[in-house]
Amino acid sequence: MASVRLDGVEKVYPNGHVAARGLDIDVADGEFMVLVGPSGCGKSTALRMIAGLETPTAGRVLIGDRDVTALPPQERDIAMVFQSYALYPHMTVRENLAFGLRMRGAARPAIAERVEAVARPLGLDAVLDRKPGQLSGGQRQRVALGRAMVRDPKVFLFDEPLSNLDAKLRVETRAELARLHRRLRATIVYVTHDQEEALTLGSRVTVMRDGVVEQVGPPMEVYRRPASVFVAGFVGSPAMNFLQGDLVAVFGGDAQRGPVTLGIRPHDLVLTPADNADLIARVDVVEPRGSELLVHLRLGADGQGQEIRVVAPPEPMPPVDSVVGLHADRQRLHWFDTTTGKRIE
Amino acid sequence: MSRARWGTVAIVLLVLGSGFPLYWAIVSSFTPEARLYGTPSLIPRVLVLDHYRALFTQREFWVPIRNSLIVAGSTTGFCVLVGGLCAYALARLRFRGKAPLLGLILAVSVFPQISVVSPLYLLLRRLHLINTYPGLILPYLTFAMPLTVWLLVGFFRQLPAELEEAAMVDGASRLRTIREIVWPLAIPGLAATAILTFVYSWNEFLFALSFTLGPERQTVPVAIALFRGQYQVPWGQILAAAVVATAPVALLVLAFQRRIVQGLTAGAVKG
Ligand SMILES: Nc1ncnc2c1ncn2[C@@H]1O[C@H](COP(=O)(O)OP(=O)(O)OP(=O)(O)O)[C@@H](O)[C@H]1O
Ligand SMILES: [Mg+2]
């Protein structure tokens, strides 16, 4: 296992599109690093540059202490799971799993042994002689994982490996991946656009936007102290509420520094009786979500103001069109400079 | 009538339209020479092997067949091997001037053949290649190769690039990736292209006529064309020769039928 470092990496595609501008990402040995961000922000590009499938326009890529910027993928000793899985369609599962070992010149008996050892815990021993076309989506995904695991690479790279699975299978596989990481103590760089996946899996999370790193940190820190409006709005579900400009005065506090944005997570707002509340709002839509309610409100007694989302306990269910008060936990407010979008402490 | 009925009628017409000449040629090739000029009848009454016997005893028709097999086979082999690698490079590698290069290749393949016959003749004579196998194979390559490359570029482009990337991450070199991943997946496309090239070279007439001198190097179409004597046309033998000449191509197509259809449609959707 080894560490991975992107050092001032830029990537300009031949058509002029800039997919990475000065990326600095440090992944420690044995760390599970998640790259997360909206579609098109350059996550796959970053991953592919680590793999050697794209060449950076500027900057360096290091694996361990070795500068691999100019090395082709074959010489980087990495394993990668593609979003499409990229299973070899003309080979059986066994041959798919064995391919990497065979290319690196392992001995036949050793390959067979290793393939069996990897296939068993993944539940693939019954389908070893089938072709990928005859497998279910979940099985294909596990073959893709298995193909990465048979070798003992320096780094594992995952590009949205769970995005083709249904919700249940996704949660199961997520736990499987966490276990895998603990067992192998592997260095993993994992790309996803799903912030929940990022929070649950990562030792650390890198939030990207338009080819730049917005914030790096442990999941709970990114969640509790988002460094910018963008991160605050991207991480956490349902998404954070933002109040701008003159609304700031309602809560008082130290908001004298020009235009500010106030962020409040739907979980940090409490519905109260209308009198004596921080804010007044009218109930618009109530969505029961089993253990809790997601209440959509509009600010103001007339219900004409901005939309606000609140997560409330399932009982009592507030009637639609009723006027309610909102109370916010002062400790859980997030202040941002509206012009720069940066967090204010 | 319903749509399905119309469809059936169309298929029947198509089969009759394209099948009848073939049927007629086959029947006539087994009909004695004297009867060929009599009243035509759909169902043959007398069938003889005379024309075929004459073909291989009097005419030594196996010589042009051998020539055609050698010329068309070599052209196809070269085209698929070299053209395949070229097409792969054009489809996958990044380099400058790729688009103009592809345009140039297409331009070459639509060049009117007749316009290059005389310059090619002079060139081949200078190289002492008139009336030799290379003297036919090389000119065929100039026309067949661009077609092959063009078809295969389209085919390679629609193979998912991630498979090759996965192989390279797994430690396979570029050539190893081509052998282990690209080649097996490309077989339908290669087979379709190979057959098109083979048929083209097998049927080619103009170059074959211009660049050969005697029967020892003439190909099948040229040999058939030269059957007609000064005073008579031996229709029976010509038709027998046509049947013999069609057989290898037809067998080839039947053998690879499923793969060709796959290959042609795969190439047709994208690229
Ligand atoms: N080969 C390419 N040529 C030109 N532009 C490209 C190329 N590949 C990607 N891009 C562009 O670069 C940007 C980043 O692409 P990338 O695939 O890294 O995004 P991503 O973060 O992985 O998105 P997603 O979540 O949708 O997979 C996108 O705007 C994309 O259109
Ligand atoms: Mg991507």
Side-chain angles (χ1 to χ4, degrees), chain B residues 235-249:
Chain B
W235 285 115
Q237 289 181 22
I238 290 183
L239 288 170
V243 170
V244 171
T246 316
V249 179

Side-chain angles (χ1 to χ4, degrees), chain A residues 48 54 74 78 82 84 86-90 99-100 102-104 147 151, chain B residues 94 162-163 165-174 176 180-181 184-185:
Chain A
R48 292 169 57 82
E54 301 286 349
Q74 294 90 343
I78 37 149
F82 292 80
S84 66
L87 303 181
Y88 311 126
H90 56 297
F99 189 79
R102 193 154 62 79
M103 288 308 115
R104 287 183 156 75
R147 201 171 59 181
R151 288 193 288 122
Chain B
R94 290 171 208 165
E162 283 199 342
L163 292 182
E165 292 174 349
M168 288 195 277
V169 169
D170 270 344
S173 67
R174 183 62 86 167
R176 197 88 196 258
E180 302 252 0
I181 310 292
L185 296 179

Side-chain angles (χ1 to χ4, degrees), chain B residues 13-99:
Chain B
L13 283 179
L14 189 71
V15 169
L16 282 181
S18 56
F20 182 72
L22 191 64
Y23 169 77
W24 198 244
I26 293 176
V27 166
S28 305
S29 72
F30 287 105
T31 307
E33 190 78 13
R35 277 182 169 265
L36 276 177
Y37 299 96
T39 332
S41 124
L42 265 186
I43 319 252
R45 295 224 181 71
V46 193
L47 292 179
V48 290
L49 282 172
D50 289 1
H51 302 310
Y52 289 91
R53 206 170 294 129
L55 212 54
F56 288 99
T57 52
Q58 285 166 259
R59 301 246 180 218
E60 302 202 322
F61 196 61
W62 57 270
V63 176
I65 288 184
R66 186 198 61 199
N67 291 343
S68 274
L69 278 177
I70 290 176
V71 172
S74 316
T75 307
T76 308
F78 270 114
C79 270
V80 170
L81 257 176
V82 181
L85 287 173
C86 285
Y88 180 78
L90 282 164
R92 280 288 188 263
L93 306 185
R94 290 171 208 165
F95 55 88
R96 248 171 233 283
K98 208 156 88 171

Side-chain angles (χ1 to χ4, degrees), chain A residues 265-284:
Chain A
R265 293 204 185 275
H267 283 98
D268 297 334
L269 281 165
V270 182
L271 296 182
T272 61
D275 41 314
N276 209 0
D278 291 331
L279 283 167
I280 302 284
R282 191 181 274 267
V283 177
D284 188 15

Side-chain angles (χ1 to χ4, degrees), chain A residues 13-20 37-46 48 54 83 159-160 191-193 208, chain B residues 94:
Chain A
Y13 278 111
N15 65 0
H17 187 94
V18 185
S39 187
C41 70
K43 311 177 293 287
S44 297
T45 305
R48 292 169 57 82
E54 301 286 349
Q83 181 171 357
D159 195 352
E160 313 214 15
V191 161
T192 176
H193 62 265
M208 286 181 63
Chain B
R94 290 171 208 165

